[in-house]
Amino acid sequence: MSNTLIDRLAAIVGASQVSADPDVLEGRSLDHTGRYRGRASALVRPGTTEEVAGVLRECREAGVHVTVQGGRTSLVAGAVPEYDDVLLSTERLTEVGAVDAVDRRVRVGAGVTLAAVQRAAAKAGLVFGVDLAARDSATVGGMASTNAGGLRTVRYGNMGEQIIGLEVVLPDGSIVHRHSEVRRDNTGYDLAALFVGAEGTLGVITALDLRLHPTPPHRVTAVCGFDDLDDLVAAGREFRDMAAIAALELIDSRASALTAAHLGVAAPVAGAWQLLIELAADTDPTEQLADALENVALSDEPAVGVDAVAQQRLWQVRESLAEILGLYGPPLKFDVSLPLSAISSFADESRELVAAHAPDAIPVLFGHIGEGNLHLNVLRCQLEGAREAELYGAMMALIARCGGNVSSEHGVGTRKRDYVGMSRTEADIAAMRTVKAAFDPAGYLNGAVLFD
Amino acid sequence: MSNTLIDRLAAIVGASQVSADPDVLEGRSLDHTGRYRGRASALVRPGTTEEVAGVLRECREAGVHVTVQGGRTSLVAGAVPEYDDVLLSTERLTEVGAVDAVDRRVRVGAGVTLAAVQRAAAKAGLVFGVDLAARDSATVGGMASTNAGGLRTVRYGNMGEQIIGLEVVLPDGSIVHRHSEVRRDNTGYDLAALFVGAEGTLGVITALDLRLHPTPPHRVTAVCGFDDLDDLVAAGREFRDMAAIAALELIDSRASALTAAHLGVAAPVAGAWQLLIELAADTDPTEQLADALENVALSDEPAVGVDAVAQQRLWQVRESLAEILGLYGPPLKFDVSLPLSAISSFADESRELVAAHAPDAIPVLFGHIGEGNLHLNVLRCQLEGAREAELYGAMMALIARCGGNVSSEHGVGTRKRDYVGMSRTEADIAAMRTVKAAFDPAGYLNGAVLFD
């Protein structure tokens, strides 16, 4: 990269906020799973929205690619630079505004972590609607850009549903915003909705107004075992639309057993498949849970937690899952949405597919059954290069055959861009390209993401 | 219009579905309030999505403007042609698919009326989340294009929140769709969200997958009187976020008295302001209502309806409002969103404004207090031309000063396009124009709508 550009960027954000140190850049160019490596020419850390705009304008003028980085927790290599990019980090956009407890909202910078939002909400007696394991690193800007899901979607919806205002710097450096004190706002296009889930390809989200929710005073948690996955799916269908539903997590017993063994705890129930159910409401939902479970084909007695300690114990395996499975080395991950009717056959066929391609690997399934959102993690998968790509492609084709979506809460990133056509028609992709070209004709912003 | 184009359109949709009859065109060029008149060159009624695409391609090639018409219930002259347009009516896209009672969804054509969707849902024991007075005429395509609100937004959200899939013909004639069986779908831009509320300027919505809801088995309705509008707003704030809330309607006593007198019924309560509250839940919410009302400063005893007959009586005034106010001649209508904190001062100042500009007119207020969405109707307003425009502009400026939005559930249409800048920054409008230009560079589709 030319020193001139470095100097110009330093003039915008201050010399201490620009780095071309190879060690720094190498660390920032490797994704956190260790599987995907890119190459960057500089790191720049703007401290204000105006600085973000200045950085974008300079890079665009210089014809240099920019990759936006938040907490870098992407599971689809969404923040890995492929064009010797300038890395634009949102890590200094960390302002947390005062919580408006009456209207239940808070304005935060894009670089604020999920955990920080959760803490601010809790201090005001409220709760934020999204929760996921990477809460200490994932930033709300990245979560908005990927329309993140997680453990509470079944109750509160995805990240997009929590957003009531957005500030975005467009590729041309102009700043648009949809901050509003009013709840109903139909004056023109819902641009905010366009930027949510756009994975940073249309602009850099710099600030957000987030909706907060009242904390339900009563809560009950249960882990139930099922011999037959179809029975679990039927139970999921019953529970997912209940007003009190707060979590609905599928875990296969193999993943559960591996994790429980590492934690040194007993599995709470038997059965080949486990379903963690949580209800939360204004009045005690324990009886409602018991009534609903009467219609469900369980393998044995459910483990029910009515107090916080017991509930935490029931959550322990689910919460530790990703970390402990990671001890087997970076798993090959698939994040898919499926119609509930296809869950069972996908579970069978995906295992067969793994067995055929990588007989020594261990496929485990978990996920958010309410949305039909499964995480298939293939542990100890030794495939590399073309042979890994073969399994990956075959899995994508299986998902499409099941009527599912090749990318669910993790987004497309750089990892899945070749497979978008399996879930989108040519006309759809052409329309998306039309939007991209309109906002970023040079294609310099997150240019490796989403489109092949 | 050239006979060649008429012939080409007839070749696509059939000769009987194209009309250039001056009487037909005149009727279709006048909006239903009788206040706004345009001019059209032909009416064309495609029967399929492919025919819509063909019509758009022909008109675009011929350089002829197209205005899309659904139920023509717009209150902002959104379907009035200004450029001697071809009128593209969705009235033949009336297919209603089978209701999926398990996944609670139904696929319908854009020309299906709201009432038809409500009937289909009711037959399956379900309920559709949007309700509004024009239900027998308003089509779901138009409601999606305007992101319509109405009487149930406080519980279920706007029209956009009911849409889980969309089929749209773009201005270039290509067909994009986002029909999906899965609930979580983050593969690329949320194009559907862009078309919702775009008022037909980016494409013609031809089909929709709509979410349906379970019918709450228990319901209670109350009308409460308040001497002070601030007290009503405070009550609205309490009620709007309750899980059981089903309706929350403000009516000023002048509107209520006029309507009750015409209906020959007594007003249910005294007080300068009335609030209609409805709760609906799995268990009887009557006690919950009574508890919540204890914290509210009422002018007298509330009128409570626990059975269907009593409930209908309490709804009668609200339901008949628009029709009976219309007997005074077409009112000058303002549809605005305000922060709840500004409702009271807006009520005072808007009345003063009307008194200053049109001393003989009668301003009445009603609306959806949960969203801060007020309808100010000025009855017997004799102002015309420049003097009407003066009051209109002054009201828009007052709304902006109150931190409100000049256009709420009715949208912008042609009527409010000059005022968009009061609720949107220049950069926001520029970004919207970027989107419009990308999809419709010639600006031939709904060219008079949204932008000045």
Side-chain angles (χ1 to χ4, degrees), chain A residues 103 149 153 158 177-178 183-185 187 189 201 240-241 337 368 373 405 424 428, chain B residues 103-104 149 153 158 177-178 184-185 187 189 201 240 337 368 373 405 424 428:
Chain A
D103 265 348
T153 298
N158 288 334
H177 50 84
R178 189 114 182 188
R183 290 204 181 184
R184 183 129 69 179
D185 184 346
T187 310
Y189 306 149
T201 59
R240 68 175 176 176
D241 293 324
S337 281
H368 320 297
N373 181 185
N405 206 300
R424 291 281 174 264
D428 281 31
Chain B
D103 265 347
R104 295 190 191 127
T153 299
N158 289 333
H177 50 84
R178 187 116 183 187
R184 184 130 67 181
D185 184 346
T187 311
Y189 306 148
T201 60
R240 68 174 176 175
S337 281
H368 319 298
N373 181 186
N405 206 299
R424 291 281 175 266
D428 281 31

mmCIF file of all heavy atoms in Angstrom, chain A residues 103 149 153 158 177-178 183-185 187 189 201 240-241 337 368 373 405 424 428, chain B residues 103-104 149 153 158 177-178 184-185 187 189 201 240 337 368 373 405 424 428:
data_model
loop_
_atom_site.group_PDB
_atom_site.id
_atom_site.type_symbol
_atom_site.label_atom_id
_atom_site.label_comp_id
_atom_site.label_asym_id
_atom_site.label_seq_id
_atom_site.Cartn_x
_atom_site.Cartn_y
_atom_site.Cartn_z
ATOM 1 N N ASP A 103 -39.482 3.801 27.062
ATOM 2 C CA ASP A 103 -39.687 3.327 25.690
ATOM 3 C C ASP A 103 -38.866 2.070 25.382
ATOM 4 O O ASP A 103 -38.920 1.550 24.270
ATOM 5 C CB ASP A 103 -39.352 4.437 24.685
ATOM 6 C CG ASP A 103 -40.604 5.211 24.288
ATOM 7 O OD1 ASP A 103 -41.708 4.738 24.617
ATOM 8 O OD2 ASP A 103 -40.480 6.265 23.657
ATOM 9 N N GLY A 149 -28.846 -14.634 14.739
ATOM 10 C CA GLY A 149 -29.950 -15.322 15.400
ATOM 11 C C GLY A 149 -29.585 -15.677 16.826
ATOM 12 O O GLY A 149 -29.372 -14.811 17.651
ATOM 13 N N THR A 153 -34.149 -16.372 19.467
ATOM 14 C CA THR A 153 -34.913 -16.012 18.275
ATOM 15 C C THR A 153 -36.347 -16.513 18.352
ATOM 16 O O THR A 153 -37.283 -15.833 17.924
ATOM 17 C CB THR A 153 -34.238 -16.605 17.025
ATOM 18 O OG1 THR A 153 -32.935 -16.045 16.915
ATOM 19 C CG2 THR A 153 -35.021 -16.277 15.765
ATOM 20 N N ASN A 158 -34.918 -12.397 15.216
ATOM 21 C CA ASN A 158 -33.489 -12.227 14.946
ATOM 22 C C ASN A 158 -33.018 -10.831 15.336
ATOM 23 O O ASN A 158 -33.797 -10.009 15.810
ATOM 24 C CB ASN A 158 -33.221 -12.425 13.450
ATOM 25 C CG ASN A 158 -33.344 -13.878 13.038
ATOM 26 O OD1 ASN A 158 -33.158 -14.777 13.851
ATOM 27 N ND2 ASN A 158 -33.670 -14.089 11.776
ATOM 28 N N HIS A 177 -29.310 7.829 8.008
ATOM 29 C CA HIS A 177 -29.763 7.256 9.273
ATOM 30 C C HIS A 177 -31.265 7.189 9.352
ATOM 31 O O HIS A 177 -31.997 7.903 8.701
ATOM 32 C CB HIS A 177 -29.180 7.974 10.479
ATOM 33 C CG HIS A 177 -29.296 9.439 10.463
ATOM 34 N ND1 HIS A 177 -30.417 10.086 10.883
ATOM 35 C CD2 HIS A 177 -28.437 10.383 10.049
ATOM 36 C CE1 HIS A 177 -30.229 11.380 10.762
ATOM 37 N NE2 HIS A 177 -29.053 11.599 10.250
ATOM 38 N N ARG A 178 -31.666 6.289 10.143
ATOM 39 C CA ARG A 178 -33.071 6.047 10.394
ATOM 40 C C ARG A 178 -33.228 5.934 11.899
ATOM 41 O O ARG A 178 -33.613 4.904 12.422
ATOM 42 C CB ARG A 178 -33.470 4.752 9.669
ATOM 43 C CG ARG A 178 -34.937 4.482 9.658
ATOM 44 C CD ARG A 178 -35.512 4.560 8.264
ATOM 45 N NE ARG A 178 -36.948 4.331 8.312
ATOM 46 C CZ ARG A 178 -37.709 4.176 7.235
ATOM 47 N NH1 ARG A 178 -37.195 4.218 6.037
ATOM 48 N NH2 ARG A 178 -39.004 4.003 7.343
ATOM 49 N N ARG A 183 -42.757 4.959 16.397
ATOM 50 C CA ARG A 183 -42.788 3.515 16.157
ATOM 51 C C ARG A 183 -43.236 3.168 14.754
ATOM 52 O O ARG A 183 -42.972 2.091 14.272
ATOM 53 C CB ARG A 183 -43.734 2.843 17.149
ATOM 54 C CG ARG A 183 -43.193 2.853 18.551
ATOM 55 C CD ARG A 183 -43.795 1.729 19.361
ATOM 56 N NE ARG A 183 -43.269 1.779 20.716
ATOM 57 C CZ ARG A 183 -43.540 0.888 21.649
ATOM 58 N NH1 ARG A 183 -44.339 -0.123 21.376
ATOM 59 N NH2 ARG A 183 -43.033 0.984 22.843
ATOM 60 N N ARG A 184 -43.983 4.046 14.147
ATOM 61 C CA ARG A 184 -44.485 3.727 12.812
ATOM 62 C C ARG A 184 -43.907 4.749 11.855
ATOM 63 O O ARG A 184 -44.052 5.949 12.066
ATOM 64 C CB ARG A 184 -46.007 3.761 12.814
ATOM 65 C CG ARG A 184 -46.613 3.367 11.508
ATOM 66 C CD ARG A 184 -47.694 2.298 11.636
ATOM 67 N NE ARG A 184 -48.886 2.778 12.293
ATOM 68 C CZ ARG A 184 -49.965 2.025 12.502
ATOM 69 N NH1 ARG A 184 -49.987 0.778 12.119
ATOM 70 N NH2 ARG A 184 -50.991 2.512 13.118
ATOM 71 N N ASP A 185 -43.314 4.296 10.805
ATOM 72 C CA ASP A 185 -42.552 5.199 9.965
ATOM 73 C C ASP A 185 -42.536 4.645 8.551
ATOM 74 O O ASP A 185 -41.760 3.767 8.226
ATOM 75 C CB ASP A 185 -41.125 5.295 10.529
ATOM 76 C CG ASP A 185 -40.289 6.293 9.761
ATOM 77 O OD1 ASP A 185 -40.711 6.697 8.659
ATOM 78 O OD2 ASP A 185 -39.220 6.668 10.241
ATOM 79 N N THR A 187 -42.219 6.585 5.657
ATOM 80 C CA THR A 187 -41.835 7.621 4.713
ATOM 81 C C THR A 187 -40.714 7.111 3.824
ATOM 82 O O THR A 187 -39.535 7.316 4.101
ATOM 83 C CB THR A 187 -41.403 8.889 5.472
ATOM 84 O OG1 THR A 187 -42.401 9.214 6.439
ATOM 85 C CG2 THR A 187 -41.253 10.062 4.523
ATOM 86 N N TYR A 189 -38.499 4.207 1.426
ATOM 87 C CA TYR A 189 -37.977 2.846 1.532
ATOM 88 C C TYR A 189 -37.433 2.565 2.925
ATOM 89 O O TYR A 189 -36.874 3.432 3.576
ATOM 90 C CB TYR A 189 -36.856 2.623 0.507
ATOM 91 C CG TYR A 189 -37.245 2.957 -0.907
ATOM 92 C CD1 TYR A 189 -36.295 3.429 -1.804
ATOM 93 C CD2 TYR A 189 -38.552 2.806 -1.356
ATOM 94 C CE1 TYR A 189 -36.638 3.743 -3.104
ATOM 95 C CE2 TYR A 189 -38.904 3.113 -2.657
ATOM 96 C CZ TYR A 189 -37.945 3.587 -3.527
ATOM 97 O OH TYR A 189 -38.293 3.905 -4.810
ATOM 98 N N THR A 201 -21.755 -5.191 2.758
ATOM 99 C CA THR A 201 -21.447 -4.964 1.343
ATOM 100 C C THR A 201 -22.054 -3.670 0.808
ATOM 101 O O THR A 201 -21.693 -3.225 -0.277
ATOM 102 C CB THR A 201 -21.975 -6.125 0.470
ATOM 103 O OG1 THR A 201 -23.395 -6.219 0.655
ATOM 104 C CG2 THR A 201 -21.327 -7.443 0.855
ATOM 105 N N ARG A 240 -43.082 -24.034 19.706
ATOM 106 C CA ARG A 240 -42.428 -22.847 19.157
ATOM 107 C C ARG A 240 -43.330 -21.625 19.082
ATOM 108 O O ARG A 240 -42.846 -20.500 19.107
ATOM 109 C CB ARG A 240 -41.822 -23.139 17.783
ATOM 110 C CG ARG A 240 -42.844 -23.393 16.694
ATOM 111 C CD ARG A 240 -42.148 -23.538 15.352
ATOM 112 N NE ARG A 240 -43.103 -23.865 14.318
ATOM 113 C CZ ARG A 240 -42.795 -23.975 13.041
ATOM 114 N NH1 ARG A 240 -41.557 -23.781 12.637
ATOM 115 N NH2 ARG A 240 -43.717 -24.262 12.155
ATOM 116 N N ASP A 241 -44.634 -21.831 18.953
ATOM 117 C CA ASP A 241 -45.514 -20.670 18.843
ATOM 118 C C ASP A 241 -46.199 -20.296 20.151
ATOM 119 O O ASP A 241 -47.081 -19.447 20.171
ATOM 120 C CB ASP A 241 -46.559 -20.910 17.747
ATOM 121 C CG ASP A 241 -45.929 -20.962 16.365
ATOM 122 O OD1 ASP A 241 -44.966 -20.194 16.133
ATOM 123 O OD2 ASP A 241 -46.384 -21.759 15.529
ATOM 124 N N SER A 337 -30.971 -23.770 7.429
ATOM 125 C CA SER A 337 -32.380 -23.717 7.800
ATOM 126 C C SER A 337 -33.138 -24.753 6.993
ATOM 127 O O SER A 337 -32.927 -24.858 5.786
ATOM 128 C CB SER A 337 -32.959 -22.341 7.483
ATOM 129 O OG SER A 337 -32.611 -21.426 8.466
ATOM 130 N N HIS A 368 -31.377 -24.544 16.683
ATOM 131 C CA HIS A 368 -32.558 -23.832 17.143
ATOM 132 C C HIS A 368 -33.757 -24.409 16.401
ATOM 133 O O HIS A 368 -34.085 -23.982 15.299
ATOM 134 C CB HIS A 368 -32.386 -22.345 16.887
ATOM 135 C CG HIS A 368 -30.990 -21.849 17.183
ATOM 136 N ND1 HIS A 368 -30.452 -21.905 18.444
ATOM 137 C CD2 HIS A 368 -30.015 -21.335 16.393
ATOM 138 C CE1 HIS A 368 -29.208 -21.423 18.419
ATOM 139 N NE2 HIS A 368 -28.915 -21.075 17.173
ATOM 140 N N ASN A 373 -33.404 -24.279 12.362
ATOM 141 C CA ASN A 373 -32.020 -23.844 12.123
ATOM 142 C C ASN A 373 -31.059 -24.824 12.806
ATOM 143 O O ASN A 373 -30.955 -24.853 14.020
ATOM 144 C CB ASN A 373 -31.841 -22.439 12.691
ATOM 145 C CG ASN A 373 -30.446 -21.854 12.474
ATOM 146 O OD1 ASN A 373 -30.162 -20.778 12.974
ATOM 147 N ND2 ASN A 373 -29.572 -22.537 11.757
ATOM 148 N N ASN A 405 -32.275 -23.847 3.314
ATOM 149 C CA ASN A 405 -31.502 -22.688 2.932
ATOM 150 C C ASN A 405 -30.043 -22.929 3.284
ATOM 151 O O ASN A 405 -29.740 -23.281 4.424
ATOM 152 C CB ASN A 405 -32.049 -21.476 3.684
ATOM 153 C CG ASN A 405 -31.778 -20.221 2.928
ATOM 154 O OD1 ASN A 405 -30.624 -19.898 2.686
ATOM 155 N ND2 ASN A 405 -32.824 -19.547 2.513
ATOM 156 N N ARG A 424 -31.196 -19.165 -4.091
ATOM 157 C CA ARG A 424 -31.730 -17.977 -4.747
ATOM 158 C C ARG A 424 -31.758 -18.190 -6.249
ATOM 159 O O ARG A 424 -30.816 -18.772 -6.795
ATOM 160 C CB ARG A 424 -30.839 -16.749 -4.449
ATOM 161 C CG ARG A 424 -30.885 -16.270 -3.019
ATOM 162 C CD ARG A 424 -32.135 -15.462 -2.776
ATOM 163 N NE ARG A 424 -32.268 -15.105 -1.380
ATOM 164 C CZ ARG A 424 -32.997 -15.806 -0.497
ATOM 165 N NH1 ARG A 424 -33.630 -16.880 -0.863
ATOM 166 N NH2 ARG A 424 -33.077 -15.408 0.743
ATOM 167 N N ASP A 428 -33.201 -13.304 -8.648
ATOM 168 C CA ASP A 428 -32.974 -12.774 -7.295
ATOM 169 C C ASP A 428 -31.537 -12.268 -7.154
ATOM 170 O O ASP A 428 -31.293 -11.189 -6.607
ATOM 171 C CB ASP A 428 -33.190 -13.875 -6.250
ATOM 172 C CG ASP A 428 -34.648 -14.119 -5.975
ATOM 173 O OD1 ASP A 428 -35.463 -13.931 -6.891
ATOM 174 O OD2 ASP A 428 -34.975 -14.507 -4.844
ATOM 175 N N ASP B 103 -48.302 -24.704 9.927
ATOM 176 C CA ASP B 103 -47.302 -23.641 9.883
ATOM 177 C C ASP B 103 -47.943 -22.252 9.864
ATOM 178 O O ASP B 103 -47.234 -21.247 9.827
ATOM 179 C CB ASP B 103 -46.383 -23.819 8.669
ATOM 180 C CG ASP B 103 -45.126 -24.580 9.042
ATOM 181 O OD1 ASP B 103 -44.883 -24.740 10.255
ATOM 182 O OD2 ASP B 103 -44.395 -25.004 8.137
ATOM 183 N N ARG B 104 -49.247 -22.207 9.876
ATOM 184 C CA ARG B 104 -50.003 -20.951 9.947
ATOM 185 C C ARG B 104 -49.571 -19.961 8.869
ATOM 186 O O ARG B 104 -48.991 -18.903 9.157
ATOM 187 C CB ARG B 104 -49.840 -20.315 11.329
ATOM 188 C CG ARG B 104 -50.459 -21.158 12.415
ATOM 189 C CD ARG B 104 -50.511 -20.419 13.735
ATOM 190 N NE ARG B 104 -50.866 -21.335 14.804
ATOM 191 C CZ ARG B 104 -50.168 -21.498 15.921
ATOM 192 N NH1 ARG B 104 -49.095 -20.760 16.119
ATOM 193 N NH2 ARG B 104 -50.550 -22.357 16.822
ATOM 194 N N GLY B 149 -51.027 -0.334 8.274
ATOM 195 C CA GLY B 149 -51.102 -0.539 9.724
ATOM 196 C C GLY B 149 -52.503 -0.964 10.127
ATOM 197 O O GLY B 149 -52.957 -2.022 9.750
ATOM 198 N N THR B 153 -52.097 -3.385 14.820
ATOM 199 C CA THR B 153 -50.641 -3.224 14.804
ATOM 200 C C THR B 153 -50.036 -3.360 16.189
ATOM 201 O O THR B 153 -48.958 -3.929 16.357
ATOM 202 C CB THR B 153 -50.282 -1.850 14.221
ATOM 203 O OG1 THR B 153 -50.769 -1.786 12.890
ATOM 204 C CG2 THR B 153 -48.778 -1.634 14.195
ATOM 205 N N ASN B 158 -47.176 -4.225 11.748
ATOM 206 C CA ASN B 158 -47.732 -3.747 10.481
ATOM 207 C C ASN B 158 -47.850 -4.894 9.470
ATOM 208 O O ASN B 158 -47.484 -6.028 9.754
ATOM 209 C CB ASN B 158 -46.829 -2.656 9.890
ATOM 210 C CG ASN B 158 -46.913 -1.369 10.678
ATOM 211 O OD1 ASN B 158 -47.925 -1.076 11.323
ATOM 212 N ND2 ASN B 158 -45.851 -0.595 10.628
ATOM 213 N N HIS B 177 -38.438 -13.659 -6.341
ATOM 214 C CA HIS B 177 -39.310 -14.092 -5.262
ATOM 215 C C HIS B 177 -38.538 -14.576 -4.066
ATOM 216 O O HIS B 177 -37.394 -14.968 -4.142
ATOM 217 C CB HIS B 177 -40.348 -15.116 -5.703
ATOM 218 C CG HIS B 177 -39.807 -16.254 -6.467
ATOM 219 N ND1 HIS B 177 -39.277 -17.340 -5.869
ATOM 220 C CD2 HIS B 177 -39.719 -16.434 -7.807
ATOM 221 C CE1 HIS B 177 -38.894 -18.177 -6.807
ATOM 222 N NE2 HIS B 177 -39.136 -17.660 -7.979
ATOM 223 N N ARG B 178 -39.208 -14.461 -3.008
ATOM 224 C CA ARG B 178 -38.665 -14.874 -1.730
ATOM 225 C C ARG B 178 -39.741 -15.696 -1.039
ATOM 226 O O ARG B 178 -40.249 -15.334 0.008
ATOM 227 C CB ARG B 178 -38.300 -13.615 -0.937
ATOM 228 C CG ARG B 178 -37.575 -13.869 0.345
ATOM 229 C CD ARG B 178 -36.176 -13.295 0.305
ATOM 230 N NE ARG B 178 -35.468 -13.610 1.522
ATOM 231 C CZ ARG B 178 -34.267 -13.124 1.836
ATOM 232 N NH1 ARG B 178 -33.663 -12.286 1.037
ATOM 233 N NH2 ARG B 178 -33.674 -13.465 2.939
ATOM 234 N N ARG B 184 -35.906 -19.014 8.889
ATOM 235 C CA ARG B 184 -34.706 -18.182 9.011
ATOM 236 C C ARG B 184 -33.984 -18.225 7.674
ATOM 237 O O ARG B 184 -33.679 -19.302 7.173
ATOM 238 C CB ARG B 184 -33.829 -18.709 10.138
ATOM 239 C CG ARG B 184 -32.627 -17.860 10.383
ATOM 240 C CD ARG B 184 -32.428 -17.475 11.837
ATOM 241 N NE ARG B 184 -32.096 -18.599 12.687
ATOM 242 C CZ ARG B 184 -31.900 -18.471 14.005
ATOM 243 N NH1 ARG B 184 -31.996 -17.296 14.581
ATOM 244 N NH2 ARG B 184 -31.622 -19.511 14.732
ATOM 245 N N ASP B 185 -33.694 -17.088 7.132
ATOM 246 C CA ASP B 185 -33.208 -17.037 5.764
ATOM 247 C C ASP B 185 -32.320 -15.813 5.607
ATOM 248 O O ASP B 185 -32.799 -14.708 5.424
ATOM 249 C CB ASP B 185 -34.419 -16.954 4.826
ATOM 250 C CG ASP B 185 -34.004 -16.986 3.370
ATOM 251 O OD1 ASP B 185 -32.803 -16.811 3.081
ATOM 252 O OD2 ASP B 185 -34.880 -17.184 2.523
ATOM 253 N N THR B 187 -29.689 -15.539 3.315
ATOM 254 C CA THR B 187 -28.868 -15.666 2.120
ATOM 255 C C THR B 187 -29.002 -14.410 1.264
ATOM 256 O O THR B 187 -29.831 -14.350 0.365
ATOM 257 C CB THR B 187 -29.277 -16.924 1.323
ATOM 258 O OG1 THR B 187 -29.332 -18.037 2.211
ATOM 259 C CG2 THR B 187 -28.266 -17.221 0.228
ATOM 260 N N TYR B 189 -29.393 -10.131 0.458
ATOM 261 C CA TYR B 189 -30.205 -8.995 0.874
ATOM 262 C C TYR B 189 -31.664 -9.396 1.092
ATOM 263 O O TYR B 189 -32.191 -10.247 0.384
ATOM 264 C CB TYR B 189 -30.157 -7.885 -0.184
ATOM 265 C CG TYR B 189 -28.762 -7.459 -0.555
ATOM 266 C CD1 TYR B 189 -28.458 -7.020 -1.841
ATOM 267 C CD2 TYR B 189 -27.724 -7.500 0.376
ATOM 268 C CE1 TYR B 189 -27.171 -6.626 -2.185
ATOM 269 C CE2 TYR B 189 -26.437 -7.111 0.037
ATOM 270 C CZ TYR B 189 -26.166 -6.688 -1.248
ATOM 271 O OH TYR B 189 -24.903 -6.306 -1.584
ATOM 272 N N THR B 201 -43.002 1.606 -6.400
ATOM 273 C CA THR B 201 -42.034 2.340 -7.219
ATOM 274 C C THR B 201 -40.870 1.469 -7.670
ATOM 275 O O THR B 201 -40.110 1.869 -8.546
ATOM 276 C CB THR B 201 -41.461 3.540 -6.447
ATOM 277 O OG1 THR B 201 -40.814 3.049 -5.263
ATOM 278 C CG2 THR B 201 -42.547 4.523 -6.062
ATOM 279 N N ARG B 240 -49.635 -0.581 25.998
ATOM 280 C CA ARG B 240 -49.211 -0.968 24.648
ATOM 281 C C ARG B 240 -48.245 -2.132 24.611
ATOM 282 O O ARG B 240 -48.183 -2.839 23.612
ATOM 283 C CB ARG B 240 -48.612 0.237 23.908
ATOM 284 C CG ARG B 240 -47.293 0.723 24.459
ATOM 285 C CD ARG B 240 -46.710 1.815 23.579
ATOM 286 N NE ARG B 240 -45.491 2.352 24.150
ATOM 287 C CZ ARG B 240 -44.728 3.247 23.559
ATOM 288 N NH1 ARG B 240 -45.080 3.730 22.395
ATOM 289 N NH2 ARG B 240 -43.630 3.667 24.139
ATOM 290 N N SER B 337 -47.223 10.073 12.652
ATOM 291 C CA SER B 337 -46.682 9.366 13.809
ATOM 292 C C SER B 337 -45.979 10.365 14.703
ATOM 293 O O SER B 337 -45.224 11.209 14.211
ATOM 294 C CB SER B 337 -45.664 8.319 13.364
ATOM 295 O OG SER B 337 -46.297 7.179 12.896
ATOM 296 N N HIS B 368 -54.239 5.274 16.441
ATOM 297 C CA HIS B 368 -53.674 4.096 17.090
ATOM 298 C C HIS B 368 -52.615 4.574 18.073
ATOM 299 O O HIS B 368 -51.455 4.774 17.717
ATOM 300 C CB HIS B 368 -53.091 3.171 16.033
ATOM 301 C CG HIS B 368 -53.956 3.069 14.790
ATOM 302 N ND1 HIS B 368 -55.238 2.561 14.838
ATOM 303 C CD2 HIS B 368 -53.758 3.453 13.505
ATOM 304 C CE1 HIS B 368 -55.774 2.602 13.614
ATOM 305 N NE2 HIS B 368 -54.888 3.156 12.792
ATOM 306 N N ASN B 373 -49.728 6.872 16.404
ATOM 307 C CA ASN B 373 -50.194 7.132 15.039
ATOM 308 C C ASN B 373 -51.570 7.794 15.087
ATOM 309 O O ASN B 373 -52.558 7.174 15.424
ATOM 310 C CB ASN B 373 -50.257 5.798 14.284
ATOM 311 C CG ASN B 373 -50.712 5.929 12.837
ATOM 312 O OD1 ASN B 373 -50.911 4.933 12.169
ATOM 313 N ND2 ASN B 373 -50.902 7.135 12.339
ATOM 314 N N ASN B 405 -43.418 12.044 12.327
ATOM 315 C CA ASN B 405 -43.186 11.627 10.963
ATOM 316 C C ASN B 405 -44.367 12.077 10.106
ATOM 317 O O ASN B 405 -45.508 11.804 10.443
ATOM 318 C CB ASN B 405 -43.059 10.108 10.927
ATOM 319 C CG ASN B 405 -42.224 9.683 9.764
ATOM 320 O OD1 ASN B 405 -42.596 9.951 8.627
ATOM 321 N ND2 ASN B 405 -41.093 9.086 10.029
ATOM 322 N N ARG B 424 -36.944 13.082 6.419
ATOM 323 C CA ARG B 424 -35.764 12.379 5.921
ATOM 324 C C ARG B 424 -34.682 13.395 5.563
ATOM 325 O O ARG B 424 -34.985 14.446 5.004
ATOM 326 C CB ARG B 424 -36.116 11.575 4.650
ATOM 327 C CG ARG B 424 -37.017 10.396 4.896
ATOM 328 C CD ARG B 424 -36.224 9.222 5.445
ATOM 329 N NE ARG B 424 -37.077 8.117 5.797
ATOM 330 C CZ ARG B 424 -37.566 7.897 7.024
ATOM 331 N NH1 ARG B 424 -37.274 8.721 8.008
ATOM 332 N NH2 ARG B 424 -38.320 6.866 7.271
ATOM 333 N N ASP B 428 -30.483 10.567 3.095
ATOM 334 C CA ASP B 428 -31.461 9.473 3.077
ATOM 335 C C ASP B 428 -32.222 9.459 1.751
ATOM 336 O O ASP B 428 -32.419 8.401 1.141
ATOM 337 C CB ASP B 428 -32.486 9.644 4.202
ATOM 338 C CG ASP B 428 -31.942 9.211 5.545
ATOM 339 O OD1 ASP B 428 -30.726 9.346 5.740
ATOM 340 O OD2 ASP B 428 -32.727 8.767 6.386
#
